[in-house]
Amino acid sequence: MRRQRSAGAAHIHEGKIVVTVTIAEEPWDSADGVRLRRAMQAELAARYNMPDQETEPPNAETITVFLIARAGGGDATGCGALRLLDDGRAEIKRMHVAPQARGTGVATRILRALEDHARQHGADTVVLATGIKQPDAIRFYEREGYQPIDGYGPYLGEPLAKCFTLQLG
């Protein structure tokens, strides 16, 4: 039996557990943002047995929006960023959910908010890259309707990358 995890304050509504989470834009260099991104990088370094190899890492100047998910008590439980590309697409970057909040819907809420921001900025397509050693992320994006692509930009021909796209409606 799977243990129920809580990402925030929970209550029962119509027989279902509802977790209270807020998603809001925050500065890229906020303490919680830095902490969440460092945790993500540490997790990836352990999976791939190497430090981050990204050739064009996002930063405050290249990110259009940076979102943080907070549990009902205010604890930061996840993050994600959006970067507009020169060809009119938007790229999702630095999606991460703290282990204790996984399986609670936080990732889906962050992803939908990033897609909404992409639409607001005129993008009709979203792209992202995850890695071949991240089967949980691959399943998540496939479940959310993202289609695999060969690659894009710096990920073309990158053997460790698994890239996806979604046409925004």
Side-chain angles (χ1 to χ4, degrees), residues 101-116:
R102 292 177 186 166
T104 65
V106 171
T108 302
R109 298 265 318 270
I110 295 169
L111 187 63
R112 293 293 172 261
L114 290 169
E115 292 167 357
D116 289 345

Side-chain angles (χ1 to χ4, degrees), residues 28-111:
W28 173 261
D29 55 2
S30 69
D32 284 330
V34 170
R35 181 183 54 76
L36 287 164
R37 290 191 310 276
R38 282 185 181 155
M40 180 197 76
Q41 289 173 325
E43 184 176 327
L44 294 178
R47 284 189 191 212
Y48 291 91
N49 198 29
M50 69 173 89
D52 190 356
Q53 300 291 311
E54 189 167 7
T55 57
E56 299 174 19
N59 58 57
E61 289 77 38
T62 62
I63 291 299
T64 305
V65 65
F66 181 65
L67 303 177
I68 292 184
R70 293 190 178 277
D75 293 334
T77 57
C79 65
L82 190 74
R83 172 164 56 190
L84 296 180
L85 302 176
D86 292 337
D87 61 6
R89 295 181 295 175
E91 181 182 25
I92 292 176
K93 304 295 292 178
R94 299 302 193 251
M95 275 279 299
H96 176 71
V97 174
Q100 71 273 15
R102 292 177 186 166
T104 65
V106 171
T108 302
R109 298 265 318 270
I110 295 169
L111 187 63

Side-chain angles (χ1 to χ4, degrees), residues 89 163 168:
R89 295 181 295 175
C163 298
L168 299 172

